[in-house]
C-alpha cells in the first residue's frame, strides 16, 4: 500500500499513521519526525530546518523533497509506505509523483483527516509526547500515566499552532483539489476516538 495521509496539524495523522503501519505492514514516513530527529541530533539539516520549524513555517520544498527521496530508497519502503506530513505543497506533491513514476510505483490512495479548526487548536495545546516512548497523549481525553516524562512541542504553543493552521490553509489545502483531480482523494471525519477513526480509515481504504 502506497499511501499519503493528509490533514491539518493535530488532526491525528501521526497517531493514525503509526496504527496503520502495523495493520498494513508498511513503514510510516513522517517528515516532521525526521526533521525533529535531525534538529535534536544537531545535524546540518537539523540546523537548516530549526528556525522554520520553531516559527511554525514550512521548511523549504527542496530540503524535504531530498529527505523523502532518500528515505524512499531504503529497503523497507520498497513494498509500500505511509507518508505522514508530506507532501505539504503542490510542488512537493509533483516531486513525489515524479519520484514514484521513475520507480513505476504510483500512489494508491490519499486520505485527508478532517477536523475543525477550534478543535485542532485545543488538541495541539493539550498534546504531550512521552519523551521515552514517543507515545502521544492529550491531557484531558487521553491522559498520560503518572510519572511519564512529557514534552510539549515548541510549535504546539497556541500562537504557533494558529500560524501552522494558517500555513496549512494557504498552502497544503491546495493538495485536496490536486489529488481529487487525480481520483486519489478520500476524506474521513477525524472527530472521535482514535480507534473509531482507524476504522473509518480502513473502510475508506477498502482493507477492513
Ligand atoms: P509535523 O510534525 O508534521 O507537524 O511537522 C512539524 C514541522 O516540520 C512543520 O511545522 C514544518 O516546519 C516541518 N515540516 C514537516 N513536514 C514538512 C513538509 N512536508 N514540508 C515543509 N515543512 C515540513
Amino acid at each position: 500500500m502506497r499511501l499519503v495521509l493528509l490533514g491539518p496539524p493535530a488532526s491525528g495523522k501521526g497517531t493514525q499513521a503509526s496504527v496503520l503501519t502495523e495493520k498494513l505492514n508498511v513503514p510510516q514516513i513522517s517528515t516532521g519526525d525526521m526533521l525533529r530527529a535531525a534538529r535534536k541530533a544537531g545535524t546540518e539539516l537539523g540546523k537548516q530546518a530549526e528556525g522554520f520549524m520553531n516559527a511554525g513555517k514550512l521548511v523549504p520544498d527542496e530540503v524535504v523533497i531530498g529527505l523523502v527521496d532518500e528515505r524512499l530508497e531504503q529497503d523497507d519502503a520498497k513494498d509500500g509506505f505511509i507518508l505522514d506530513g508530506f507532501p505539504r505543497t503542490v510542488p512537493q506533491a509533483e516531486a513525489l509523483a515524479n519520484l514514484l513514476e521513475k520507480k513505476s510505483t504510483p500512489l494508491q490512495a490519499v486520505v485527508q483527516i478532517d477536523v475543525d479548526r477550534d478543535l485542532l487548536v485545543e488538541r495541539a495545546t493539550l498534546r504531550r509526547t512521552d519523551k521515552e516512548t514517543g507515545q502521544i497523549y492529550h491531557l484531558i481525553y487521553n491522559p498520560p500515566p503518572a510519572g511519564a516524562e512529557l514534552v510539549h512541542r515548541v510549535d504546539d504553543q497556541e500562537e504557533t499552532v494558529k500560524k501552522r493552521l494558517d500555513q496549512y490553509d494557504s498552502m497544503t489545502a491546495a493538495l485536496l483539489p490536486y489529488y481529487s483531480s487525480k481520483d486519489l482523494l478520500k476524506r474521513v471525519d477525524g472527530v472521535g476516538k482514535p480507534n473509531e477513526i482507524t476504522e473509518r480509515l480502513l473502510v475508506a481504504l477498502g482493507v477492513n
Side-chain angles (χ1 to χ4, degrees):
M1 170 72 73
R2 293 180 296 277
L3 168 69
V4 165
L5 271 190
L6 288 180
S11 58
K13 277 194 314 295
T15 304
Q16 293 301 329
S18 60
V19 176
L20 289 180
T21 207
E22 299 285 322
K23 294 207 185 273
L24 304 175
N25 205 19
V26 289
Q28 169 186 6
I29 300 182
S30 157
T31 43
D33 284 350
M34 290 161 83
L35 290 168
R36 275 187 289 281
R39 179 176 64 184
K40 196 169 167 199
T43 62
E44 205 41 53
L45 168 73
K47 286 184 198 140
Q48 232 179 321
E50 183 163 24
F52 296 102
M53 294 172 79
N54 292 353
K57 291 186 179 155
L58 292 186
V59 173
D61 285 341
E62 59 277 15
V63 176
V64 278
I65 290 167
L67 197 62
V68 169
D69 188 4
E70 252 176 53
R71 181 65 186 85
L72 289 177
E73 282 302 315
Q74 291 174 18
D75 263 358
D76 64 338
K78 292 270 188 285
D79 295 328
F81 49 78
I82 300 169
L83 278 168
D84 152 23
F86 181 94
R88 263 177 156 99
T89 63
V90 171
Q92 290 180 19
E94 286 169 343
L96 175 64
N98 289 336
L99 286 177
L100 296 176
E101 198 179 315
K102 280 194 209 134
K103 304 180 209 278
S104 304
T105 53
L107 282 179
Q108 290 161 307
V110 176
V111 190
Q112 155 90 0
I113 303 180
D114 288 313
V115 180
D116 277 350
R117 186 181 171 104
D118 288 350
L119 191 54
L120 292 169
V121 174
E122 195 216 68
R123 277 193 191 175
T125 51
L126 294 174
R127 170 160 69 178
R128 298 291 184 276
T129 311
D130 187 304
K131 209 171 166 183
E132 204 133 297
T133 62
Q135 177 70 42
I136 301 165
Y137 296 100
H138 181 286
L139 290 182
I140 298 170
Y141 302 122
N142 179 22
E149 207 182 329
L150 302 171
V151 215
H152 188 202
R153 282 171 47 171
V154 269
D155 57 350
D156 271 349
Q157 315 290 331
E158 185 163 346
E159 282 320 302
T160 314
V161 171
K162 287 182 176 164
K163 277 193 211 137
R164 290 166 64 207
L165 289 170
D166 291 343
Q167 181 93 252
Y168 178 86
D169 288 338
S170 69
M171 319 232 356
T172 310
L175 293 177
L176 302 179
Y178 173 87
Y179 281 125
S180 174
S181 73
K182 303 203 175 309
D183 246 351
L184 283 169
L185 183 70
K186 299 168 197 305
R187 301 181 78 144
V188 304
D189 176 5
V191 182
K193 296 201 181 91
N195 61 335
E196 291 166 354
I197 321 254
T198 306
E199 258 325 289
R200 287 176 207 156
L201 285 165
L202 292 172
V203 170
L205 293 169
V207 289
N208 66 329

